[in-house]
């Protein structure tokens, strides 16, 4: 029976060896390439590659774009038939080819140079035509491919992807790119929700806000809790200032004490000085507060006036949990 595990481990060792020797190529050209990209305030990074290099190029372009460096991928074959119009003066080309002899990309160099487009190439051959014709060259040579035939791009594409990550992250750090900046380009992801969504975005307001006065009978307060569906009600004075809160949990406790819910007032059983939050804090901070205090609902106040309310279900539906 074929030893699949040994074959797989051999591949991993080969690719690890390729990455371990890649640091020698993070040289002056790498630094100059980063400086060129950082100084390019109006243009974009245009990434090109054929075949497997193209697939890696798409990932590198996506990583650059999501970490603060405006970038997009253009297929060199399509560029020769009209898509070259997407590239403008001031843009920078990042050309990827393991051999450095991709005819589809090299055919575009004369036009790109006429447009005064700066070119950064990423190849495994420092003496290739692409490397020699580029302004800066990022070498990604590997001792051998993981493919036993030496044909399928494996270790070389891994090295190219890693060099692309190194470029993107170095630029990210140089720019002072923050987690909040990252969230702005990923608003649909969990990080975006945690770093962008505020309690004010998901809180219940207006007629959906459960409110009663201290004189309200417990039985009437229970109707409000049921109608609004938050498992609680805020108790406010005539100026909408918070004086207390009453929750489903409080109801269970007063029933154990045999309090007459038909005649007693909510002020007799409400919790005073409840935990509150400002509606402008992040939803993730609100979640942490509720978990720390072991509460399922939260009243939101602005200058002690009740402006909103929410519960754990709201945070769950918003994707914060």
């Amino acid at each position: 029976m074929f030893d699949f595990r040994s074959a797989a481990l051999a591949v991993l060792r080969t690719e690890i060896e390729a990455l371990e020797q890649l640091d020698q190529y993070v040289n002056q050209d790498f630094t100059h390439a980063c400086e060129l990209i950082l100084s390019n305030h109006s243009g974009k990074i245009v990434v090109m590659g054929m075949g497997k290099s193209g697939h890696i190029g798409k990932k590198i372009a996506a990583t650059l774009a999501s970490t603060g460096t405006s970038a997009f991928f253009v297929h060199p074959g399509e560029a020769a038939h009209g898509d070259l119009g997407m590239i403008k003066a001031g843009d920078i080309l990042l050309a990827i080819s393991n051999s450095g002899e991709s005819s589809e990309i090299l055919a575009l160099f004369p036009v790109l140079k006429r447009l005064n487009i700066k070119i950064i190439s990423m190849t495994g051959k420092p003496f290739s035509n692409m490397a020699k014709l580029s302004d800066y060259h990022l070498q990604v040579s590997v001792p051998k491919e993981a493919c036993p035939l030496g044909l399928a791009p494996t270790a070389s594409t891994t090295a190219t992807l890693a060099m692309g990550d190194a470029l993107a992250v170095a630029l990210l750090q140089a720019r002072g790119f923050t987690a909040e900046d990252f969230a702005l380009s990923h608003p649909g992801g969990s990080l975006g929700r945690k770093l962008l969504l505020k309690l004010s975005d998901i809180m219940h307001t207006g007629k959906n806000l459960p409110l009663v006065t201290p004189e309200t009978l417990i039985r009437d307060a229970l109707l409000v809790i049921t109608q609004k569906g938050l498992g609680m009600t805020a108790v406010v004075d005539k100026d909408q200032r918070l004086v207390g809160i009453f929750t489903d949990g409080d109801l269970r406790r007063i029933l154990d004490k045999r309090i007459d819910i038909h005649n007693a007032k909510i002020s007799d059983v409400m919790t005073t000085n409840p935990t509150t939050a400002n509606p402008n804090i992040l939803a993730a901070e609100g979640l942490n507060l509720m978990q720390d205090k072991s509460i399922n609902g939260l009243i939101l106040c602005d200058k002690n006036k009740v402006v909103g309310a929410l519960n754990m279900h709201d945070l769950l539906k918003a994707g914060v949990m």
Side-chain angles (χ1 to χ4, degrees):
M1 182 177 178
F2 184 77
D3 191 345
F4 292 103
R5 183 173 180 275
S6 294
L9 291 175
V11 170
L12 295 179
R13 282 193 295 270
T14 299
E15 302 216 2
I16 289 170
E17 289 170 5
L19 292 177
E20 285 178 338
Q21 56 83 53
L22 198 61
D23 58 355
Q24 64 184 301
Y25 304 132
V26 182
N27 50 25
Q28 281 298 103
D29 263 25
F30 182 91
T31 299
H32 292 321
C34 289
E35 291 171 344
L36 174 64
I37 294 170
L38 281 175
S39 65
N40 185 39
H41 301 298
S42 58
K44 295 179 173 60
I45 307 301
V46 181
V47 184
M48 282 190 186
M50 283 295 295
K52 301 299 187 298
S53 293
H55 294 304
I56 297 299
K58 290 177 183 178
K59 165 52 169 69
I60 292 174
T63 300
L64 286 166
S66 68
T67 53
T69 300
S70 185
F72 62 94
F73 179 84
V74 174
H75 191 284
E78 298 296 333
H81 294 278
D83 281 4
L84 199 61
M86 299 169 67
I87 306 174
K88 304 297 184 184
D91 290 340
I92 297 171
L93 175 69
L94 176 58
I96 302 173
S97 169
N98 186 46
S99 69
E101 302 295 346
S102 174
S103 58
E104 294 87 351
I105 298 177
L106 285 170
L108 301 173
F109 272 35
V111 179
L112 294 169
K113 288 184 175 293
R114 197 173 302 133
L115 291 172
N116 199 30
I117 302 294
K118 296 293 185 182
I119 300 174
I120 302 168
S121 64
M122 194 179 294
T123 83
K125 303 292 188 289
F127 301 107
S128 62
N129 282 312
M130 191 179 293
K132 290 187 289 187
L133 292 170
S134 300
D135 294 283
Y136 301 110
H137 177 242
L138 306 182
Q139 188 173 341
V140 287
S141 303
V142 298
K144 63 178 180 179
E145 297 287 7
C147 168
L149 302 176
L151 299 176
T154 45
S156 60
T157 49
T158 300
T160 303
L161 182 60
M163 185 64 81
D165 287 343
L167 183 68
V169 174
L171 292 167
L172 173 155
Q173 292 179 317
R175 283 196 171 91
F177 194 80
T178 65
E180 287 75 14
D181 295 322
F182 187 87
L184 288 171
S185 60
H186 297 74
S190 60
L191 178 62
R193 288 190 291 273
K194 289 180 180 179
L195 294 179
L196 298 177
L197 196 69
K198 294 183 178 181
L199 292 180
S200 58
D201 297 321
I202 56 176
M203 69 184 185
H204 298 264
T205 61
K207 64 180 182 179
N208 297 316
L209 191 57
L211 298 174
V212 298
T213 63
E215 294 76 27
T216 303
L217 295 177
I218 295 175
R219 67 179 184 185
D220 295 325
L222 293 178
L223 289 176
V224 172
I225 293 174
T226 301
Q227 291 169 354
K228 305 304 180 181
L230 293 182
M232 64 179 177
T233 184
V235 185
V236 297
D237 63 15
K238 59 183 178 62
D239 296 317
Q240 202 85 347
R241 288 191 295 264
L242 184 68
V243 295
I245 189 174
F246 186 79
T247 69
D248 287 341
D250 294 324
L251 173 61
R252 288 190 292 272
R253 284 184 283 275
I254 67 170
L255 290 177
D256 289 340
K257 295 179 181 178
R258 301 184 181 280
I259 293 176
D260 184 359
I261 65 172
H262 297 284
N263 297 303
K265 296 178 181 180
I266 201 73
S267 57
D268 298 329
V269 293
M270 68 183 183
T271 300
T272 57
N273 300 315
T275 298
T276 63
N278 186 286
N280 291 319
I281 70 171
L282 294 174
E285 294 179 281
L287 173 62
N288 291 337
L289 176 63
M290 293 169 71
Q291 290 176 331
D292 289 343
K293 298 293 183 178
S294 298
I295 56 178
N296 292 316
L298 190 61
I299 302 297
L300 307 177
C301 298
D302 185 12
K303 298 178 181 177
N304 203 38
K305 289 190 175 182
V306 177
V307 295
L310 53 81
N311 60 20
M312 282 291 189
H313 294 296
D314 296 312
L315 294 170
L316 181 62
K317 286 189 291 185
V320 181
M321 298 177 66

